Amino acid sequence: MGAGGVPSPHPAHPVVPSAQDVRTDRRIVRTAGRREGGSRRISRTAAAAHCGGRAGTADGAGGEPDKVAALVANDLRRLLDADGFVLQRGASLHTSGHVPPEDAVADMLGWARRQGSILLHSASLEQRMPGAQAYRDLASGLLAITLSADEPVVLLWFRAETLQTIQWAGNPHKAVDQRDEQPLSPRASFAAWSEEIRGRARPWTSAEVEAAYRLSRLLFDARQRRRISELNRELTRAVTDKDALLAQQETLIKEVNHRVQNSLQLVVAFLAMQANAENDETLTRHLGEAQRRLSAVALVHRRLYSDDTVTVIDLGRYIEDLLLEMQSTMGEEWTGRVTMDLAPLLISADAAVQIGLVLVELVINAQKYAYAGNPGPIAVTLERIRNRFRLTVADRGQGRTGNRTGFGTRMLTAMVKRLDGTIEESDNAPGLRFTVLAPIAMPADV
């Protein structure tokens, strides 16, 4: 050794691992290399700790959070042969063995989270963390796993201070008497001395660090699985609630449709009674037309009440029912006079009401003007052309006579406009053909 007191590269008494240390290292290696079944057991234990003890354990904890956390803390402390262990999950702290005071533990937990590393370890914590010297007797060594800095979820292993004595080759502050004829020598000129090193713990072996790394992965995977499971449960609950609300909504809408249909049928019945009671032929005809228009609206609500859906209906079936119902009010002489060629086509209920009113008006016009009130053939066709429908009403009557500007014509024009469609009149040779072309409206479009 030189006069500056630089320690010899080889201590006078090298530290030889004890048999206990060797056994400990072997046990850690066996733990780190444990087969997959053992990894699943550690994962389940960690998941139980994350879940606050909601899952029961084979040790009879029965799902009580404190018991489960105590079992997990003891097992994890022994896993790395630590003197103390702290498990933090949110506001809960669970300890095992000898740990620093609560305020010191809080400081270390905050420091570990701020490092931004999942796994960190040190055998001399006071060299890395300011203020750690105050509790170095219990926590000179630290190994930390941070699973979440937000929740937070942190695991701390502590190792107590291990006093180390280093033998120096000579004390530069204490000379040794020697004869003048002896040559000067650093080892012969100064007395041997030893120095006690503090603030250090038994170092974490590579096997222990590897075991901690594997454990962090298992704990992280268990936590992720738990969070995914919780999300799945929340989504399932939300979907169930949504289905229940939708079922309730459909029931309410069906009930509304049923009541609207009953009310309209009641008005239709009153109109029919009034028409039968009147002696004025013109008034009776107008009441009959109003009756058919209301029947078109009432039929939509009746279909919505009886069908499985409450927002869309089959336009082809609706038109068929509407025409059959109209024929029953037009007189027996019209039986078989109205022919239909209707393609199946789903459309929104609101659009169906407007199409029904358009159809009623076209049939009324054909009955009134084409044959002057007498029975005659009327052909109704419904086709689908890509995303549009085409409704055609054709007669073989006397063709156009005069310029029609009455209420029915104005209502017909207004209904076609609301459908964003067009209506065309052409010669049917003989008679007239009316063609309505409009987009197929679904509930999201109206």
Side-chain angles (χ1 to χ4, degrees), residues 354 358 408-420:
Q354 299 164 31
V358 169
T409 302
R410 294 196 302 272
M411 188 182 72
L412 179 63
T413 304
M415 290 297 102
V416 172
K417 185 176 181 180
R418 290 191 62 182
L419 289 169
D420 290 330

Side-chain angles (χ1 to χ4, degrees), residues 33-52:
R34 195 171 292 169
R35 63 181 180 274
E36 186 180 356
S39 297
R40 286 198 300 269
R41 181 178 62 82
I42 294 175
S43 181
R44 287 196 300 270
T45 305
H50 288 318
C51 294

Side-chain angles (χ1 to χ4, degrees), residues 39 74 78 93 101 119 122 146 187 193 202 213 231 237 239 260 265 272 308 329 360 395 406 410 418 434 440 443:
S39 297
N74 289 328
R78 290 191 293 266
L93 276 182
L119 175 66
S122 174
T146 303
R187 291 184 179 273
W193 68 294
R202 285 184 295 110
Y213 173 76
L231 287 175
R237 186 163 52 248
V239 169
V260 171
Q265 286 297 107
D308 294 333
T329 64
V360 168
D395 63 69
R410 294 196 302 272
R418 290 191 62 182
F434 289 89
I440 298 175

Side-chain angles (χ1 to χ4, degrees), residues 228-241:
I228 292 174
S229 178
E230 289 178 351
L231 287 175
N232 285 336
R233 283 196 298 270
E234 292 177 4
L235 287 174
T236 301
R237 186 163 52 248
V239 169
T240 302
D241 294 343

Side-chain angles (χ1 to χ4, degrees), residues 112-128:
R113 292 195 301 269
R114 290 192 298 272
Q115 301 311 298
S117 175
I118 294 178
L119 175 66
L120 60 91
H121 60 90
S122 174
S124 181
L125 181 59
E126 62 186 62
Q127 294 183 8
R128 297 187 58 180

Side-chain angles (χ1 to χ4, degrees), residues 334-416:
W334 282 91
T335 302
R337 295 289 187 170
V338 179
T339 59
M340 294 169 277
D341 183 10
L342 309 172
L345 190 154
L346 292 179
I347 200 164
S348 70
D350 291 342
V353 170
Q354 299 164 31
I355 296 169
L357 291 173
V358 169
L359 178 63
V360 168
E361 207 58 42
L362 291 174
V363 172
I364 288 176
N365 286 344
Q367 179 190 15
K368 185 189 304 184
Y369 301 111
Y371 305 109
N374 298 315
I378 300 176
V380 178
T381 304
L382 177 66
E383 303 171 278
R384 176 170 187 154
I385 305 174
R386 292 187 291 276
N387 62 340
R388 304 172 75 83
F389 72 88
R390 181 165 61 192
L391 177 66
T392 304
V393 178
D395 63 69
R396 302 190 66 81
Q398 58 184 344
R400 170 168 288 280
T401 56
N403 186 20
R404 303 168 192 169
T405 58
F407 171 76
T409 302
R410 294 196 302 272
M411 188 182 72
L412 179 63
T413 304
M415 290 297 102
V416 172

Side-chain angles (χ1 to χ4, degrees), residues 75-364:
D75 287 344
L76 293 178
R77 177 178 60 83
R78 290 191 293 266
L79 178 67
L80 297 185
D81 193 24
D83 299 311
F85 174 78
V86 170
L87 167 62
Q88 179 192 33
R89 181 175 181 271
S92 301
L93 276 182
H94 301 282
T95 64
S96 174
H98 302 288
V99 300
E102 186 174 345
D103 56 344
V105 169
D107 291 341
M108 279 186 282
L109 287 169
W111 176 81
R113 292 195 301 269
R114 290 192 298 272
Q115 301 311 298
S117 175
I118 294 178
L119 175 66
L120 60 91
H121 60 90
S122 174
S124 181
L125 181 59
E126 62 186 62
Q127 294 183 8
R128 297 187 58 180
M129 177 183 170
Q133 183 177 2
Y135 35 82
R136 64 185 181 186
D137 55 332
L138 295 174
S140 284
L142 173 69
L143 191 150
I145 293 177
T146 303
L147 298 178
S148 171
D150 298 326
E151 191 174 352
V153 179
V154 184
L155 295 85
L156 300 180
W157 284 265
F158 302 113
R159 278 185 176 171
E161 179 185 36
T162 300
L163 298 179
Q164 297 181 13
T165 302
I166 295 181
Q167 298 291 337
W168 297 84
N171 188 346
H173 304 291
K174 185 176 181 181
V176 176
D177 294 335
Q178 61 180 9
R179 294 188 298 272
D180 293 338
E181 63 272 13
Q182 280 185 314
L184 292 176
S185 170
R187 291 184 179 273
S189 302
F190 301 95
W193 68 294
S194 61
E195 182 179 7
E196 190 175 67
I197 304 299
R198 302 205 58 186
R200 297 188 62 85
R202 285 184 295 110
W204 307 97
T205 66
S206 58
E208 290 168 340
V209 174
E210 175 65 19
Y213 173 76
R214 294 189 181 185
L215 177 63
S216 68
R217 299 308 307 168
L218 290 172
L219 291 171
F220 182 80
D221 291 344
R223 185 170 182 271
Q224 291 299 100
R225 286 194 297 271
R226 177 181 65 83
R227 295 181 66 180
I228 292 174
S229 178
E230 289 178 351
L231 287 175
N232 285 336
R233 283 196 298 270
E234 292 177 4
L235 287 174
T236 301
R237 186 163 52 248
V239 169
T240 302
D241 294 343
K242 180 181 178 181
D243 289 343
L245 289 174
L246 287 176
Q248 183 182 14
Q249 182 184 31
E250 288 187 2
T251 302
L252 292 174
I253 292 177
K254 283 180 177 290
E255 181 63 24
V256 169
N257 286 322
H258 181 56
R259 296 192 179 191
V260 171
Q261 180 251 328
N262 287 343
S263 299
L264 291 174
Q265 286 297 107
L266 186 61
V267 175
V268 169
F270 286 156
L271 289 175
M273 292 172 59
Q274 188 69 33
N276 292 332
E278 291 294 336
N279 295 324
D280 188 336
E281 183 178 348
T282 303
L283 180 58
T284 300
R285 187 177 70 252
H286 288 321
L287 290 174
E289 292 174 1
Q291 178 185 348
R292 295 187 192 106
R293 290 165 183 151
L294 284 175
S295 295
V297 179
L299 182 58
V300 171
H301 289 281
R302 185 161 71 245
R303 279 227 162 267
L304 291 175
Y305 175 71
S306 59
D307 289 350
D308 294 333
T309 61
V310 295
T311 56
V312 296
I313 63 175
D314 185 340
L315 184 59
R317 289 179 57 194
Y318 165 64
I319 290 177
E320 181 181 3
D321 293 344
L322 179 59
L323 290 174
L324 291 174
E325 196 167 289
M326 286 186 67
Q327 287 185 75
S328 66
T329 64
M330 291 164 66
E332 294 182 358
E333 65 274 14
W334 282 91
T335 302
R337 295 289 187 170
V338 179
T339 59
M340 294 169 277
D341 183 10
L342 309 172
L345 190 154
L346 292 179
I347 200 164
S348 70
D350 291 342
V353 170
Q354 299 164 31
I355 296 169
L357 291 173
V358 169
L359 178 63
V360 168
E361 207 58 42
L362 291 174
V363 172
I364 288 176

